[in-house]
Amino acid sequence: MVEANGDELAELESLDNGKPLKLAKVVDVPETVAHFRHFAGWPERVYGDVLPVHQDGMLCYTRKEPVGVCGQIIPWNFSLLMASWKLAPALAAGCTTVLKPAEQTPLSALRLGELALEAGIPPGVVNVVTGDGETGAALVDHEGVDKLAFTGSTEVGREIGSKAGRSLKRLTLELGGKSPNIILPDADLDAAVKGSFQAIYFNTGQACNAGSRLFVQRDQFDDVVSALADRAGKTRVGPGLDPATQLGPVVSAEQRQRVLSYIDAGRDQGAELVVGGGSAVVGGGPSLESDGGYFVEPTVFTATDDSLKVAREEIFGPVLVAIPYESLEEVAARANDTDYGLAAGVWTRSLTNAHRLASLLKAGSVYVNCWGEVDPGAPFGGYKASGVGREHGREGLEAYLETKTVWAKLG
Ligand code: NAI
Ligand code: MG
């Protein structure tokens, strides 16, 4: 039903979030479909074990049971897709859920709730509640909720995590990132530039796994930065519903303000602004600001100091920080010098270097010669402050199950 109503869902997503309609059609909707299809296959594969315990005459087995009522809170960057990441495993495990979309983007989740009813999911199993952080907090605090699943800022994640620590609710958290993307000297540079561009500017930089810290070996640094700046300068910024748009606005005035203040901090602290840096002027005319278009130019900074704010904090907008390095060991250490650990990437033609870095980088996902790949069967989540637990596949499903051990004396 998501597939059959894909055009409508894509349009709702574009209207709500501002993202290019094309992007919603080729990414958000089909990925949502894939997620439900994947988890639709799990229910008949959820089973326990018979355990060879040492007691005589004892049958010992485990049952996998639904964890119960889930409180699921999602952000605004991929509202429909994040709804599917939350709903699909919960339903496959046999849970009921209360899903709260972000206040900026409630429409696609509401429509998904209607489709769930039309699809025959019994009323009361999937509940969609709109509201802001206060509503989210009420859900987190509610005694009837057994399991919390949250995607959003690290700040709110810490708060929800500490509440779950007190109430001992089950918990998964998918939080922020400042993901390092490393171009080694032996990389296919054209592919690396193209991929690194996508890694940061996809969804206007509003992706938890955005490749926002780009490390380039000193000898190639200037060439790579100028190729990226060139691409950024040619990118067509515009409204989501305009088919010519390549980079949509950020989600809200608040988010634009947050992104622009990071750009100011970059300038103030001495990062070098190579391209962009302001509210974009759209269509060669006056800025569409007054029409509610929260545009930000695709921006590239260079920096040599890893401690700058723009090099350490999640910006969640179209802002890249490029940083030069000398050696592989050095860049691995600098890449890991962050509170976050959601994703990391390496561009190289060397198998050895690829897998050396894949083992050295402390991140939940490592991309080799690609960026941002996801699959409903491949675990996704963060090391360190990027989260707790994993979504997708068996591990994602397990987060919605309790294990019960049954002991039965037979003799
Ligand atoms: P946020 O974390 O405040 O909002 C995400 C969701 O949490 C929304 O549904 C919101 O209503 C809810 N929420 C807010 N406060 C809550 C609370 N105290 N208890 C329960 N639920 C609560 O994120 P926000 O303010 O929209 O964006 C701030 C920054 O967070 C962004 O600039 C970005 O850095 C990061 N972020 C990361 C995301 C990711 O995918 N990891 C997604 C969205 C934001
Ligand atoms: Mg917030």
Side-chain angles (χ1 to χ4, degrees), residues 14 38 41 51 100 107 117 141 163 169 183 199-200 249 278 281 285 297 313 330 337 351 356 361 363 397:
S14 178
H38 175 87
L51 305 167
K100 194 201 81 62
L107 297 181
L117 286 174
D141 294 336
K163 284 179 169 179
K169 286 177 182 153
I183 301 180
I200 179 64
V281 174
E297 289 175 324
E313 295 182 20
E330 170 213 331
D337 179 19
L351 267 179
R356 259 176 86 198
L361 292 168
L397 186 80

Side-chain angles (χ1 to χ4, degrees), residues 73-77 100-104 132-133 136-137 150-153 156 159-160 174-176 208 255 258 314 316:
I73 300 170
I74 55 172
W76 40 260
N77 53 340
K100 194 201 81 62
E103 56 272 34
Q104 299 86 348
D132 60 13
F150 171 77
T151 299
S153 64
V156 174
E159 189 183 316
I160 292 176
E174 201 74 74
L175 308 175
C208 49
Q255 191 61 18
R258 188 178 288 140
E314 179 175 58
F316 226 65

Side-chain angles (χ1 to χ4, degrees), residues 106-304:
L107 297 181
S108 56
L110 286 169
R111 184 71 184 113
L112 196 61
E114 288 179 350
L115 292 176
L117 286 174
E118 275 179 50
I121 293 175
V125 172
V126 172
N127 305 279
V128 181
V129 174
T130 57
D132 60 13
E134 222 174 290
T135 308
L139 192 53
V140 170
D141 294 336
H142 199 285
E143 285 179 11
V145 171
D146 301 292
K147 186 227 155 40
L148 299 167
F150 171 77
T151 299
S153 64
T154 297
E155 181 194 359
V156 174
R158 284 186 205 279
E159 189 183 316
I160 292 176
S162 67
K163 284 179 169 179
R166 279 197 295 277
S167 65
L168 298 175
K169 286 177 182 153
R170 303 294 172 265
L171 176 74
T172 40
L173 297 173
E174 201 74 74
L175 308 175
K178 188 73 180 177
S179 297
N181 179 20
I182 302 168
I183 301 180
L184 293 183
D186 57 18
D188 171 346
L189 274 193
D190 287 342
V193 165
K194 218 167 139 191
S196 302
F197 188 85
Q198 269 297 108
I200 179 64
Y201 298 113
F202 172 67
N203 211 43
T204 315
Q206 302 164 118
C208 49
N209 58 353
S212 50
R213 278 191 298 152
L214 179 68
F215 288 97
V216 188
Q217 217 271 341
R218 190 170 296 282
D219 294 341
Q220 282 127 0
F221 189 75
D222 290 346
D223 288 348
V224 167
V225 168
S226 79
L228 285 168
D230 195 43
R231 273 178 178 265
K234 288 182 183 144
T235 298
R236 198 180 158 103
V237 180
L241 295 180
D242 179 347
T245 290
Q246 293 168 312
L247 192 90
V250 297
V251 70
S252 62
E254 185 192 1
Q255 191 61 18
R256 183 174 57 176
Q257 198 38 53
R258 188 178 288 140
V259 174
L260 293 177
S261 67
Y262 272 112
I263 292 173
D264 287 344
R267 283 201 188 94
D268 292 349
Q269 292 190 326
E272 190 189 331
L273 182 66
V274 183
V275 69
S279 300
V281 174
V282 167
S287 164
L288 287 189
E289 247 175 79
S290 53
D291 296 322
Y294 305 118
F295 301 103
V296 178
E297 289 175 324
T299 297
V300 178
F301 277 110
T302 59
T304 46

